[in-house]
């Protein structure tokens, strides 16, 4: 009887062991299934994240820019297309979107930004470039037409015997190397490529500046518009107005130069001289300087003590300024108040 009892206990223990083993195997299989599922989920999330990162790295195009009209200045506003004499003028939205996409693209990664400066040759007259000529104004210019006067010497990297071209006062650039005592390497925004430039011509802006306020001047259609970024690819149109840009008329009047410029300074009342003299002829109100002596400003007043004039029949017609961009005086004040010195951009297109 005892032996039979031991035998039953042995069988029971064996069955229990088999049951426990099966249970452990089943648990191990379930745990493995859960682990495999979690791994697949993690792999899928990693793939999605990697794909999103690749998309994020892709440069924006004009098609990615969304413009929403939300006018903060609504005087003298132009339509998207509007008549001028026997033609039709437009706001070149596709070209403007391209420029705004460029602004977003060069800010995708942190950079050390800077602005080239040599207003009135305050940082010393630039040396002669290798290939120079005299232009219609009898001034020295490089192969691209940029003048030595108020120009910034740009050297081929590592070759400092003579500059290859001139950068313009006000040009936005990216600092790519700042290791030497007298020179730094920069990458142009308006001028493609890298150059060495003497440090005295460069004002660094740091790597935390955000360019989210942009003024676009169209010298072909003689209009000006302002934009503020709200999100990736999203910009508000704040104003759409007539303007008058600089004209080519030696020896005193020059075209408003194309390019991407930084707002450098502001003058509530910018005095100007009578051509060829040192006598003050009048003033321009709410002047925002971006390049050389080029300002966005209100209607000029040919009397130093005169009153501000709101509008001129010449706005939006043909270039007739010395280099500046004339606006209705209230729009010039809007630009003056809204832009931020050394962190807002003026982009001139044709």
């Amino acid at each position: 009887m005892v032996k039979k009892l031991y035998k039953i206990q042995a069988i029971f223990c064996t069955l229990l062991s088999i049951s426990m083993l099966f249970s452990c195997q089943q648990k191990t299989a379930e745990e493995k299934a859960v682990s495999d599922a979690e791994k697949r989920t993690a792999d899928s999330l990693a793939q999605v994240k990697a794909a999103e990162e690749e998309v994020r790295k892709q440069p924006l195009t004009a098609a990615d820019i969304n413009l929403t009209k939300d006018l903060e200045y609504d005087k003298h506003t132009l339509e998207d297309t509007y008549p001028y004499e026997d033609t039709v003028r437009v706001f070149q939205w596709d070209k403007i979107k391209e420029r705004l996409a460029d602004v977003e693209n060069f800010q995708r990664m942190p950079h050390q930004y800077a602005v080239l400066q040599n207003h009135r040759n305050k940082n010393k007259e630039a040396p002669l470039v290798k290939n120079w000529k005299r232009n219609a104004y009898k001034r020295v210019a490089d192969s691209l037409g940029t003048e030595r006067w108020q120009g910034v010497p740009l050297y081929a990297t590592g070759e400092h015997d003579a500059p290859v071209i001139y950068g313009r006062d006000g040009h936005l650039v990216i600092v790519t190397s700042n290791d030497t005592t007298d020179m730094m390497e920069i990458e142009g925004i308006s001028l493609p490529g890298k150059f060495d430039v003497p440090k005295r011509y460069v004002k660094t802006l740091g790597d935390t500046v955000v360019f989210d306020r942009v003024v676009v001047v169209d010298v072909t259609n003689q209009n000006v518009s302002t934009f503020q970024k709200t999100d990736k690819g999203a910009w508000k149109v704040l104003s759409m107005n007539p303007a008058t840009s600089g004209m080519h008329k030696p020896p005193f009047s020059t075209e408003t130069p194309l390019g991407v410029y930084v707002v450098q300074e502001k003058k509530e009342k910018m005095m100007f001289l009578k051509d060829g003299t040192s006598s003050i002829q009048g003033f321009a109100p709410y002047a925002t300087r971006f390049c050389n002596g080029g300002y966005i400003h209100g209607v000029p007043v040919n009397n130093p003590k005169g009153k501000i004039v709101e509008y001129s029949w010449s706005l939006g017609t043909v270039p007739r300024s010395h280099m500046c961009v004339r606006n209705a005086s209230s729009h010039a004040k809007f630009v003056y108040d809204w832009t931020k010195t050394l962190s807002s951009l003026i982009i001139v297109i044709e």
Side-chain angles (χ1 to χ4, degrees):
M1 184 68 179
V2 175
K3 289 182 178 180
K4 188 175 181 179
L5 184 59
Y6 280 129
K7 188 174 182 180
I8 291 172
Q9 288 178 338
I11 293 171
F12 177 78
C13 289
T14 301
L15 291 173
L16 182 60
S17 298
I18 292 172
S19 175
M20 291 177 65
L21 178 62
F22 178 77
S23 177
C24 289
Q25 289 176 340
Q26 186 179 23
K27 186 176 181 181
T28 301
E30 290 174 352
E31 289 175 344
K32 185 176 186 304
V34 171
S35 178
D36 289 346
E38 290 176 346
K39 185 175 185 303
R40 287 194 297 272
T41 300
D43 289 344
S44 297
L45 290 174
Q47 290 174 358
V48 169
K49 187 175 181 180
E52 290 176 345
E53 182 66 17
E54 284 302 314
V55 171
R56 190 186 71 80
K57 289 180 179 178
Q58 293 297 319
L60 297 182
T61 66
D64 299 312
I65 300 299
N66 179 35
L67 296 180
T68 303
K69 290 182 184 178
D70 187 9
L71 302 184
E72 292 188 7
Y73 175 88
D74 58 2
K75 298 179 181 178
H76 317 295
T77 303
L78 297 171
E79 299 294 333
D80 290 2
T81 62
Y82 53 95
Y84 174 69
E85 295 186 340
D86 58 350
T87 64
V88 174
R89 285 184 170 172
V90 301
F91 283 88
Q92 300 186 72
W93 295 126
D94 287 342
K95 186 175 288 187
I96 289 170
K97 287 179 179 181
E98 288 176 2
R99 299 299 180 272
L100 295 178
D102 291 340
V103 171
E104 291 211 38
N105 287 333
F106 66 67
Q107 293 187 89
R108 285 182 304 160
M109 300 296 290
H111 293 297
Q112 177 80 15
Y113 295 102
V115 55
L116 302 183
Q117 292 189 328
N118 199 22
H119 182 38
R120 296 180 179 174
N121 284 350
K122 69 176 184 179
N123 293 320
K124 191 177 179 180
E125 183 180 36
L128 279 173
V129 292
K130 292 182 179 180
N131 298 310
W132 61 275
K133 59 184 178 182
R134 290 201 179 274
N135 60 18
Y137 298 83
K138 298 182 180 180
R139 295 194 287 261
V140 172
D142 65 14
S143 57
L144 300 178
T146 305
E147 293 183 352
R148 181 187 191 186
W149 166 245
Q150 303 188 87
V152 174
L154 301 181
Y155 296 83
T157 303
E159 301 177 13
H160 302 157
D161 55 328
V164 290
I165 57 174
Y166 297 121
R168 291 189 185 275
D169 171 80
H171 266 162
L172 174 67
V173 298
I174 294 171
V175 178
T176 52
S177 177
N178 193 12
D179 296 334
T180 63
T181 303
D182 299 323
M183 291 277 189
M184 65 170 59
E185 184 186 71
I186 58 97
E187 182 175 357
I189 301 295
S190 300
L191 296 171
K194 292 184 178 181
F195 304 91
D196 286 348
V197 56
K199 289 183 178 180
R200 65 174 173 269
Y201 296 101
V202 181
K203 180 176 181 61
T204 56
L205 305 178
D207 58 3
T208 59
V209 62
V210 176
F211 301 106
D212 58 1
R213 300 184 182 208
V214 177
V215 181
V216 177
V217 176
D218 184 337
V219 298
T220 298
N221 291 281
Q222 295 292 285
N223 59 45
V224 58
S225 45
T226 55
F227 305 86
Q228 184 154 0
K229 183 181 176 182
T230 59
D231 200 355
K232 180 180 179 182
W235 293 75
K236 291 195 303 183
V237 184
L238 303 184
S239 65
M240 300 165 55
N241 286 83
T244 300
S245 63
M247 66 176 172
H248 179 87
K249 186 179 180 181
F252 301 114
S253 298
T254 62
E255 302 96 329
T256 304
L258 307 179
V260 179
Y261 302 94
V262 178
V263 171
Q264 297 192 72
E265 66 171 322
K266 300 179 183 183
K267 295 180 179 180
E268 186 172 354
K269 195 173 184 181
M270 187 267 289
M271 298 295 182
F272 58 84
L273 305 179
K274 183 177 180 180
D275 287 344
T277 74
S278 57
S279 301
I280 294 177
Q281 181 176 353
F283 73 95
Y286 306 113
T288 302
R289 190 173 71 83
F290 61 96
C291 176
N292 292 0
Y295 295 78
I296 292 178
H297 62 65
V299 176
V301 178
N302 290 323
N303 178 353
K305 298 181 180 180
K307 294 182 179 180
I308 293 177
V309 177
E310 166 61 7
Y311 201 81
S312 168
W313 64 268
S314 63
L315 294 176
T317 57
V318 295
R320 47 179 81 234
S321 178
H322 282 65
M323 176 190 277
C324 298
V325 181
R326 301 176 186 175
N327 293 221
S329 292
S330 59
H331 186 262
K333 185 179 187 305
F334 170 74
V335 172
Y336 180 93
D337 292 336
W338 171 74
T339 54
K340 298 179 179 180
T341 305
L342 300 180
S343 65
S344 296
L345 300 179
I346 310 293
I347 301 179
V348 183
I349 65 174
E350 63 180 350

